[in-house]
Amino acid sequence: MSESHRNQSPHEGERRNAKGRQRNRGSRSASEHSAAGSRGEQSGRSSRQSGRQFSKNAPSARSRRSDPARLAAFQVLRAVSRDDAYANLVLPAEIRRAKLDKRDAGFATELTYGALRSEGTYDAVLSRCVDRELSKLDPPILDALRLGAHQLLAMRVNTHAAVNETVALVRDQIGAGPSGLVNAVLRRVAEKTRDQWLDVIAENSTGDDALGLRHAHPSWVVRALRQSLKLRGRAEDIEALLESDNAAPEVHLVGLPGLHGDAGPHHLKSAVTAGATPSELVEGAAIFRGGDIGRLEGVREGQLRVQDIGSQWIAQALTEPAVQPAERWLDLCAGPGGKAALLGAIAAEYGVTLTANEPAPHRAELVTKALAAVDPSAWSVRTGDGRTLSSDPEFYTPEQPFDRILIDAPCTGLGALRRRPESRWRRKPSGLAELTVLQEDLLDAAVAVLAPEGLLAYVTCSPHAAETIAQVEDLLRRHSELQLLDAHEPMAAVALPQGQKLLEETRSTTSANSNPVIAKTVQLWPHIHGTDAMFFALLQKKPD
């Protein structure tokens, strides 16, 4: 079998030839890899071909050349491990650098996200195949082993190819010395199926610890998600939620309203013509499964954007109660600018203004770029700590408070584990205390600049109780001038029928809850709504 068939089993090669596919390609189609990865990660491969075939060549006699798709995935894992980078930001650049076609890009994407998503589970497997502590391995070697483990245990990659190509990657990028180690370790990994390994690594674990190993979540995250579901009357959903976190994320689009003769909605319609599916939750959104969004009309001009439908839904809900002339809006934590762009476009339609605040200069630049397509008279960007806004006369005076404030607060990000698979292993429970203090400070700062009868939206991309329900309860105790509104009402007002139905479904499990914060706030879920697990609380300042 030639190297160009590196990811096909013999049966797959025969099937492709039977279909008349004559092109020799190294990687399978993106859809096949996505399906293979999802099946492998959710249930494991139930069987494996007998008589595994490994190369008879010594590692020193094998190829030194890295396969481009695997190399792209390796470079992303190195950036995540070494630089604390975000895979969803690094991977597209690596795919472009390597000039991968659609199929190889799909392979690199599944390999990258799969290895990052299941890092903890694969480390538990690898620890049983290495004769030393994993912490004593050089980080690049460990990243390569994780890539090899994912190919062997969760993708339809021929065992021979998975081992040999990973060894070639190591020789090319790390050196000849470690290649023998990598070869030996991956051969041991290949001795069992994913399900068999899960039985081994979870044999002495129970409860959330075992669930975490099987679904590639740290046990503290499993406990936090279970608690949040329980508070919402959905404790039985825990496995469905964990499985949803491990599914490949969909690409959601938004057409910014009111731009240049309704260009945003026009380009959204063009995207639908190109294969996108209109959202059933809210107007102005679509789901795109067609590959590179850069080829869609309006993306380069900034009139068509990528944005999770949950974020779109909440931003629209904040603007749903009747807007009055000359209102002033504030996005207190605006970076990187997705919600700010949508709010700014809506503000331009109403003839009101938005201030987008972001403390980090490089992120403030991203906010400015995100707003560039919007009428400049409708927005301004402040670079500074949101907690000091009340003492900045350029943007705030007591005579000109803000009428609507969005706080999309820094948080653990446990609601976006599909999109940022590495964050589940990066975050630690010890960091929660610092985040909740920051959230509290930002809320207090927002109340100080909120107009009487003004609206305050508190949003997190996390369902963790400490960052959501507890935070709102504490806010109401500190500020008697605030009242909690029912956030379901504006959410339902901007929703399509299916969105209203799902909103009511999740509301019904909490409507009888005696805790008003639970009953009146909205928690979106990936396994129910198909969005990130966004939390939304809406508060109003009482009249003077």
Side-chain angles (χ1 to χ4, degrees), residues 92 96 102 251 288-296 299:
R96 289 192 296 270
K102 181 178 178 181
V251 175
F288 185 63
R289 303 181 180 92
D292 182 12
I293 66 161
R295 65 184 176 83
L296 296 178
V299 170

Side-chain angles (χ1 to χ4, degrees), residues 141-162:
I141 296 174
L142 182 55
D143 282 336
L145 287 171
R146 290 163 177 163
L147 290 175
H150 185 64
Q151 293 171 71
L152 289 167
L153 301 180
M155 296 178 73
R156 288 180 181 172
V157 177
N158 179 278
T159 300
H160 171 90

Side-chain angles (χ1 to χ4, degrees), residues 259-337:
L259 296 183
H260 313 298
D262 238 15
H266 166 74
H267 290 314
L268 190 70
K269 292 178 182 177
S270 296
V272 170
T273 302
T277 304
S279 169
E280 295 183 343
L281 301 180
V282 292
E283 290 278 5
I287 301 168
F288 185 63
R289 303 181 180 92
D292 182 12
I293 66 161
R295 65 184 176 83
L296 296 178
E297 180 184 358
V299 170
R300 182 170 297 182
E301 298 81 5
Q303 296 154 351
L304 186 67
R305 310 287 181 94
V306 174
Q307 187 176 51
D308 181 75
I309 289 174
S311 296
Q312 300 178 43
W313 198 352
I314 288 172
Q316 290 187 43
L318 176 58
T319 68
E320 189 279 330
V323 177
Q324 302 301 317
E327 279 191 2
R328 300 184 72 225
W329 298 356
L330 170 66
D331 185 348
L332 193 59
C333 309

Side-chain angles (χ1 to χ4, degrees), residues 196-435:
Q196 289 169 339
W197 274 119
L198 289 176
D199 289 340
V200 170
I201 65 177
E203 61 184 350
N204 295 321
S205 301
T206 59
D208 291 339
D209 292 337
L211 204 58
L213 285 170
R214 291 191 173 278
H215 292 279
H217 285 67
S219 55
W220 77 270
V221 173
V222 177
R223 286 190 290 272
L225 295 177
R226 185 191 295 277
Q227 180 190 20
S228 183
L229 286 166
K230 184 177 180 179
L231 290 170
R232 299 280 173 179
R234 310 193 71 90
E236 70 281 0
D237 285 9
I238 183 61
E239 289 207 60
L241 176 56
L242 297 178
E243 290 173 359
S244 183
D245 278 349
N246 289 337
E250 296 176 326
V251 175
H252 294 172
L253 302 174
V254 58
L256 296 187
L259 296 183
H260 313 298
D262 238 15
H266 166 74
H267 290 314
L268 190 70
K269 292 178 182 177
S270 296
V272 170
T273 302
T277 304
S279 169
E280 295 183 343
L281 301 180
V282 292
E283 290 278 5
I287 301 168
F288 185 63
R289 303 181 180 92
D292 182 12
I293 66 161
R295 65 184 176 83
L296 296 178
E297 180 184 358
V299 170
R300 182 170 297 182
E301 298 81 5
Q303 296 154 351
L304 186 67
R305 310 287 181 94
V306 174
Q307 187 176 51
D308 181 75
I309 289 174
S311 296
Q312 300 178 43
W313 198 352
I314 288 172
Q316 290 187 43
L318 176 58
T319 68
E320 189 279 330
V323 177
Q324 302 301 317
E327 279 191 2
R328 300 184 72 225
W329 298 356
L330 170 66
D331 185 348
L332 193 59
C333 309
K339 294 185 184 69
L342 182 53
L343 286 172
I346 297 173
E349 283 193 302
Y350 282 110
V352 302
T353 59
L354 169 74
T355 296
N357 183 86
E358 171 54 45
H362 70 284
R363 286 172 63 86
E365 290 180 10
L366 294 177
V367 175
T368 301
K369 291 178 180 178
L371 283 159
V374 179
D375 183 348
S377 66
W379 58 271
S380 61
V381 175
R382 175 183 184 262
T383 304
D385 191 330
R387 294 169 292 186
T388 66
L389 183 61
S390 62
S391 58
D392 187 344
E394 182 181 352
F395 291 91
Y396 167 78
T397 63
E399 295 75 29
Q400 288 189 312
F402 293 98
D403 301 284
R404 296 173 200 246
I405 299 177
L406 170 66
I407 302 179
D408 186 2
C411 66
T412 57
L414 300 186
L417 297 183
R418 299 174 304 161
R419 303 184 191 281
R420 292 182 174 174
E422 72 281 353
S423 64
R424 70 187 69 188
W425 309 110
R426 177 181 291 174
R427 291 292 187 187
K428 305 297 180 185
S430 57
L432 186 62
E434 182 178 350
L435 282 168

